Amino acid sequence: MTRHEVEVITEDQHLVKADEEMARLLDVDVGEEVNHRTVRLVADGVPYVHAVSLSPIGRMPEEVRRDMMRADIPIGKILRNYGMETRRDFDTIQMETDGSLFGSREYLSRTYRIVHHNDALMWIKERFPADGRWLL
Amino acid sequence: MTRHEVEVITEDQHLVKADEEMARLLDVDVGEEVNHRTVRLVADGVPYVHAVSLSPIGRMPEEVRRDMMRADIPIGKILRNYGMETRRDFDTIQMETDGSLFGSREYLSRTYRIVHHNDALMWIKERFPADGRWLL
């Protein structure tokens, strides 16, 4: 859409033990190891998407886990590289006005799970600033 | 994107026996029964997407086949209704200028297969007119 290469810039990545909310979102036990990653998608210097993902790494094939723990590979590429068949189960889609995202007070958010063999491989919350930057 | 409901309008739907090209695209035998469907996606009276799909109906679970043969259910809804895990294998993405689509001489086309349990459930060619209608 922008006609520029999109970069995935990792803001933060660390392992956490699943708390009760994460356990519920991912259907894992409390205390299981979860990769918590925050990225932004940037094209030509402009940020368009902010995403937080939670991945229960114990659930993944070893080679997928290795790629997932690297900071710079988009999830779509990982699924493609391993020919994984998945579905995306959407939970929420809403406008939010409670804060600031990349300089925009309003943003659209959605949350969904990437499901493989009926297990959530990843829970994702994406946020899109609702402003004129999409007039491309 | 348009803020209008998108309608799937079926232009044509009929069963054919797979010819050699279809057999190659879907990895089925020549002569197998294939559902050939042509639709356009229309929002607020404006057509945005033209799609041709080929589905080898012998390969589908009975209830999926029944929905697939109905003219008006988008494939995404069918996959969702049955919780099917799939991947999309893209074959081509290109600009084409050899004709006319919804009044536009140029269009973007892409072809891909929706793959389930490593079998192609559907081959799709989508075409998008490359003109100002996308300035929403």
Side-chain angles (χ1 to χ4, degrees):
Chain A
M1 290 171 68
T2 64
R3 300 199 172 203
H4 291 277
E5 198 72 25
V6 176
E7 287 173 277
V8 178
I9 296 179
T10 301
E11 299 181 347
D12 180 68
Q13 174 163 330
H14 61 278
L15 289 173
V16 294
K17 302 282 184 196
D19 61 18
E20 295 214 351
E21 193 192 354
M22 291 179 192
R24 184 178 58 76
L25 291 171
L26 294 165
D27 195 21
V28 297
D29 292 330
V30 169
E32 272 200 39
E33 211 158 35
V34 169
N35 192 43
H36 184 294
R37 181 175 165 186
T38 308
V39 302
R40 56 173 68 190
L41 306 189
V42 176
D44 199 29
V46 179
Y48 287 91
V49 186
H50 185 271
V52 174
S53 64
L54 301 173
S55 310
I57 59 170
R59 184 173 276 174
M60 296 176 190
E62 170 58 29
E63 67 272 21
V64 176
R65 172 170 23 194
R66 207 167 44 227
D67 283 3
M68 200 86 90
M69 302 287 292
R70 284 186 47 186
D72 55 339
I73 310 180
I75 178 68
K77 282 221 173 107
I78 295 173
L79 298 177
R80 182 159 318 283
N81 288 345
Y82 297 103
M84 294 174 75
E85 298 177 0
T86 60
R87 63 177 204 267
R88 296 188 178 207
D89 285 352
F90 283 80
D91 292 318
T92 65
I93 300 186
Q94 60 194 341
M95 288 297 301
E96 300 192 38
T97 55
D98 63 349
S100 164
L101 175 66
F102 304 149
S104 174
R105 203 176 63 82
E106 289 191 295
Y107 55 89
L108 181 67
S109 77
R110 60 180 195 177
T111 61
Y112 59 96
R113 284 161 293 122
I114 296 179
V115 177
H116 178 63
H117 293 165
N118 286 318
D119 284 329
L121 275 192
M122 194 178 255
W123 176 91
I124 298 176
K125 178 171 185 171
E126 291 170 341
R127 297 189 301 153
F128 307 81
D131 65 14
R133 81 189 69 199
W134 298 98
L135 301 169
L136 296 167
Chain B
M1 289 170 69
T2 64
R3 301 200 171 200
H4 291 276
E5 198 73 25
V6 176
E7 287 173 275
V8 178
I9 296 178
T10 301
E11 299 181 348
D12 180 68
Q13 174 164 330
H14 61 279
L15 289 173
V16 294
K17 303 283 183 195
D19 61 18
E20 295 212 351
E21 192 192 355
M22 290 179 192
R24 182 178 59 75
L25 291 172
L26 294 165
D27 195 21
V28 297
D29 292 329
V30 170
E32 273 200 39
E33 210 157 38
V34 169
N35 192 43
H36 183 294
R37 181 175 166 187
T38 308
V39 302
R40 54 173 67 190
L41 305 190
V42 176
D44 199 30
V46 178
Y48 287 91
V49 186
H50 185 272
V52 174
S53 63
L54 302 173
S55 310
I57 59 171
R59 186 173 275 172
M60 294 174 191
E62 169 58 27
E63 68 272 21
V64 176
R65 172 169 23 191
R66 208 167 42 227
D67 282 4
M68 201 84 91
M69 302 287 291
R70 285 186 47 185
D72 55 339
I73 311 180
I75 177 69
K77 283 222 171 105
I78 296 173
L79 298 177
R80 182 160 318 283
N81 288 344
Y82 297 102
M84 294 174 76
E85 299 177 0
T86 60
R87 64 177 203 267
R88 296 188 178 208
D89 285 352
F90 283 80
D91 293 317
T92 65
I93 300 186
Q94 60 193 341
M95 287 297 300
E96 301 192 38
T97 55
D98 64 349
S100 165
L101 176 66
F102 304 149
S104 174
R105 204 176 63 81
E106 290 190 295
Y107 55 88
L108 181 67
S109 78
R110 61 180 194 177
T111 61
Y112 60 96
R113 284 161 293 122
I114 297 179
V115 177
H116 177 64
H117 292 165
N118 286 318
D119 284 329
L121 275 193
M122 193 178 255
W123 175 90
I124 299 176
K125 177 170 186 172
E126 291 169 341
R127 297 189 301 153
F128 306 81
D131 65 13
R133 82 190 70 198
W134 297 98
L135 301 169
L136 296 167

